Amino acid sequence: MATIIDGKLLAKKLNEDTKTNVNKMKKQGVIPCLAVIIVGNDQASKRYVRSKHKKAEQLGIKSIVKELPEETTETELLKVLNEYNHNNDINAILIQSPLPKHINEKYIMGQINPKKDVDGFQIINSGKLFLNEAENYPVACTPKGIMKMLNEYNIELVGKKAVVIGRSTIVGRPMAALLINAGAEVSVINHYANVSDYTKNADIIVSATGKLHTVTKNDVKQGATIIDVGQNLDETGKLVGDVDYQEVYEIAGYITPVPGGVGPMTISTLMTQTVELTKWSDSL
């Protein structure tokens, strides 16, 4: 049976470290500040933004939430973003996705000040990640949180075979880059592939498809590490991941549960990265 990678426990530990760092910074007269811009009425996005705001305040981080109506134009959004980009009191900027269809999301994300890009999606920071630059820069929070989980549980990456299922710019692509940079041999596929052809001999599997039963016990070798990023509802309405958890748990070496695995790490990593951006800026 697998060792469960406890994302809740690790996120709590990271949050405690973040709060300690924030308190130290406050003694130096610096308060980290996260600004979130949300456009439209997507209820899932609003819930996520509320949870970010609440967590930031709990950790002593100043949180600004700018809510803009659905009909906001690209020009109007850029005006707000430009103000935040040049506001020295704001250290981290996040534009909540998805944006309304009339706004070019890729273009907008590219306009975030790279030094304040807390989500790590800005093209300059993405380029630094893929080039494995040695300097400080932000990285997409979910993959960065997964790397912390792997490190916490002393899971070896150098020379290991890793498969990333999913090619999104939010998880799949930056996850692959981080694993490559850590010395793993990485394959990136989508759920349309014959998953087992790639995963059966993999030491590490990261699934981020949002599709039930993407990974079953027939796709996994004994002792593999399974990272489940998916969030789906099963036929009973229960929140589950991409992985057939109960069956895979019996043969995996390590596995993340859903809920309680990767999810808590995303927000805690966002908070950690807000503090890091503050440290990397001219604020200290």
Side-chain angles (χ1 to χ4, degrees):
M1 292 187 294
T3 296
I4 297 173
I5 299 176
D6 192 337
K8 279 187 177 180
L9 185 63
L10 181 53
K12 182 179 179 181
K13 178 181 175 182
L14 286 176
N15 287 334
E16 289 171 354
D17 290 344
T18 296
K19 190 169 186 177
T20 297
N21 286 328
V22 169
N23 288 335
K24 289 179 180 178
M25 296 168 83
K26 285 182 176 179
K27 290 178 181 179
Q28 300 177 55
V30 175
I31 302 176
C33 178
L34 169 65
V36 177
I37 304 171
I38 180 170
V39 184
N41 300 306
D42 184 88
Q43 293 305 305
S45 292
K46 287 193 171 187
R47 286 194 298 273
Y48 193 35
V49 168
R50 284 197 297 269
S51 66
K52 292 172 183 173
H53 177 71
K54 181 179 179 181
K55 182 57 64 179
E57 290 197 325
Q58 287 175 348
L59 300 179
I61 295 169
K62 182 178 180 181
S63 175
I64 298 171
V65 176
K66 182 70 171 180
E67 297 188 20
L68 299 173
E70 183 82 19
E71 61 273 15
T72 299
T73 66
E74 196 169 278
T75 300
E76 290 169 335
L77 175 55
L78 282 171
K79 183 180 178 181
V80 174
L81 176 58
N82 191 52
E83 290 174 358
Y84 287 179
N85 277 339
H86 292 90
N87 185 335
N88 292 332
D89 292 330
I90 293 175
N91 309 105
I93 300 171
L94 184 152
I95 298 178
Q96 183 63 40
S97 179
L99 291 172
K101 292 182 179 179
H102 64 274
I103 295 177
N104 185 332
E105 185 166 318
K106 187 175 181 180
Y107 172 74
I108 291 294
M109 295 299 184
Q111 304 310 303
I112 298 173
N113 182 341
K115 294 182 179 180
K116 299 185 180 188
D117 172 35
V118 73
D119 256 340
F121 297 157
Q122 211 273 356
I123 191 168
I124 291 175
N125 292 322
S126 296
K128 288 178 179 179
L129 171 60
F130 278 86
L131 291 173
N132 197 19
E133 294 292 321
E135 63 190 273
N136 293 321
Y137 53 87
V139 175
C141 293
T142 297
K144 186 172 182 176
I146 290 170
M147 294 300 287
K148 289 178 181 177
M149 297 171 94
L150 296 172
N151 181 67
E152 180 73 12
Y153 282 78
N154 298 312
I155 295 169
E156 182 63 51
L157 298 177
V158 176
K160 300 299 182 180
K161 296 183 185 298
V163 175
V164 178
I165 313 172
R167 302 178 295 180
S168 75
T169 56
I170 297 173
V171 180
R173 292 170 191 258
M175 187 75 249
L178 285 167
L179 288 168
I180 290 169
N181 294 347
E185 300 174 12
V186 183
S187 298
V188 183
I189 63 173
N190 60 33
H191 67 272
Y192 297 110
N194 188 341
V195 169
S196 193
D197 286 348
Y198 296 87
T199 60
K200 194 64 178 175
N201 295 312
D203 302 298
I204 300 151
I205 302 170
V206 180
S207 185
T209 67
K211 184 176 181 292
L212 283 169
H213 306 310
T214 297
V215 179
T216 69
K217 67 176 181 179
N218 295 324
D219 304 319
V220 177
K221 78 172 185 179
Q222 192 79 31
T225 296
I226 313 298
I227 306 295
D228 192 349
V229 188
Q231 290 196 339
N232 313 291
L233 297 178
D234 67 10
E235 58 276 4
T236 68
K238 179 184 176 183
L239 180 65
V240 295
D242 293 348
V243 177
D244 192 344
Y245 182 85
Q246 291 301 328
E247 291 190 349
V248 174
Y249 169 77
E250 297 295 329
I251 59 174
Y254 294 88
I255 192 168
T256 60
V258 177
V262 174
M265 290 297 295
T266 298
I267 290 183
S268 65
T269 302
L270 176 72
M271 299 303 149
T272 299
Q273 195 147 256
T274 296
V275 172
E276 288 174 341
L277 287 173
T278 307
K279 289 182 177 179
W280 298 339
S281 72
D282 297 329
S283 299
L284 290 172

